[in-house]
Amino acid sequence: MQQLIEGVHKFRTAEFGNYRKLFRKLSQEGQNPHTLFITCSDSRVLAELITQSKPGDLFVVKNIGNIVPTASARGDTNSTAAAIEFAVVNLHVSDIVICGHSQCGAIAAMLADHAVGDATPHLRDWLKVAAPVLETLKRAYGHLEDPHARETAAAQENVLYALDNLHSYPCVQERLGNGTLRLHGWFFRIATAELFAYDPETRQFSPLVNG
Ligand SMILES: [Zn+2]
């Protein structure tokens, strides 16, 4: 906690001056973020840092494993659905990014049998939402024996599954239909802080930027 308090002090004394006008403007005019950014709760994946975004730019949803439930999901799985509806219907974001990442604990838990025990029933149920990713892995990646390659494939397929599920939301379908919304699948490699974007034509994740 001391680290957090020191951080708040540093922000107030050293950083806030650069943001004073922006925060006042955002307070007066409200938020108008251009992108809904759905990524993992993992402490190493910082949406604003890796995209150099400012306050007001991104509407961020962080959940375990950057999972997107289908529109029909209810109960424990509905907070991400609520955020999607709010961002698309109320905030009129123009883009949705699903950003998975390397070394994802959620993906590792999904791949390992019995990794999620009885002490974490919500976590167990939440990861089941992305169970179809495991089916895809069995079907299309049976040849992969290297555990790291399997993890990467699962994390990237999980991004594609989340993109698929976005299509199940009527509000997303409507905005896609009138050409006012774009969907993006990204993958963040922690060791090098590189971002890769899914290209539906090549069906590959390719570097988002060069260098
Ligand atoms: Zn993760």
Side-chain angles (χ1 to χ4, degrees):
M1 181 46 71
Q2 191 56 31
Q3 206 176 343
L4 291 187
I5 294 169
E6 284 171 14
V8 171
H9 181 70
K10 185 180 168 205
F11 173 69
R12 296 294 308 174
T13 53
E15 285 280 332
F16 178 61
N18 299 326
Y19 290 98
R20 189 185 303 274
K21 275 189 191 160
L22 178 58
F23 274 111
R24 187 174 298 140
K25 180 171 177 282
L26 289 169
S27 164
Q28 289 166 347
E29 298 176 7
Q31 64 168 332
N32 185 25
H34 50 73
T35 295
L36 165 62
F37 199 101
I38 301 174
T39 192
C40 185
S41 302
D42 193 294
S43 60
R44 300 163 294 184
V45 185
L46 304 173
E48 286 86 352
L49 178 68
I50 63 179
T51 61
Q52 289 291 284
S53 298
K54 296 190 297 298
D57 287 346
L58 304 179
F59 192 73
V60 178
V61 172
K62 293 195 101 185
N63 70 36
I64 305 263
N66 46 268
I67 291 167
V68 171
T70 61
S72 60
R74 292 286 182 271
D76 288 350
T77 57
N78 69 3
S79 78
T80 296
I84 290 165
E85 291 175 354
F86 185 69
V88 171
V89 175
N90 300 81
L91 296 175
H92 304 286
V93 294
S94 60
D95 295 83
I96 301 178
V97 173
I98 309 285
C99 185
H101 69 101
S102 63
Q103 287 96 37
C104 183
I107 297 296
M110 281 165 58
L111 292 175
D113 285 338
H114 312 300
V116 183
D118 292 340
T120 51
H122 288 84
L123 177 59
R124 188 180 53 211
D125 288 351
W126 173 248
L127 294 180
K128 279 182 193 161
V129 172
V133 172
L134 292 180
E135 298 304 314
T136 304
L137 208 68
K138 276 184 204 150
R139 200 174 58 244
Y141 296 89
H143 58 286
L144 285 184
E145 288 177 8
D146 175 50
H148 294 300
R150 282 177 60 77
E151 253 187 50
T152 300
Q156 294 185 343
E157 284 296 333
N158 184 48
V159 168
L160 301 185
Y161 181 62
L163 285 176
D164 273 354
N165 284 350
L166 280 177
H167 286 87
S168 70
Y169 291 78
C171 59
V172 170
Q173 284 172 17
E174 188 185 330
R175 295 276 315 278
L176 287 173
N178 63 27
T180 59
L181 183 67
R182 293 176 297 266
L183 308 183
H184 314 269
W186 287 9
F187 180 78
F188 179 63
R189 184 186 284 160
I190 289 174
T192 56
E194 285 172 289
L195 275 167
F196 300 83
Y198 183 71
D199 180 344
E201 289 195 3
T202 63
R203 297 185 170 190
Q204 301 280 337
F205 282 82
S206 308
L208 190 64
V209 292
N210 294 319

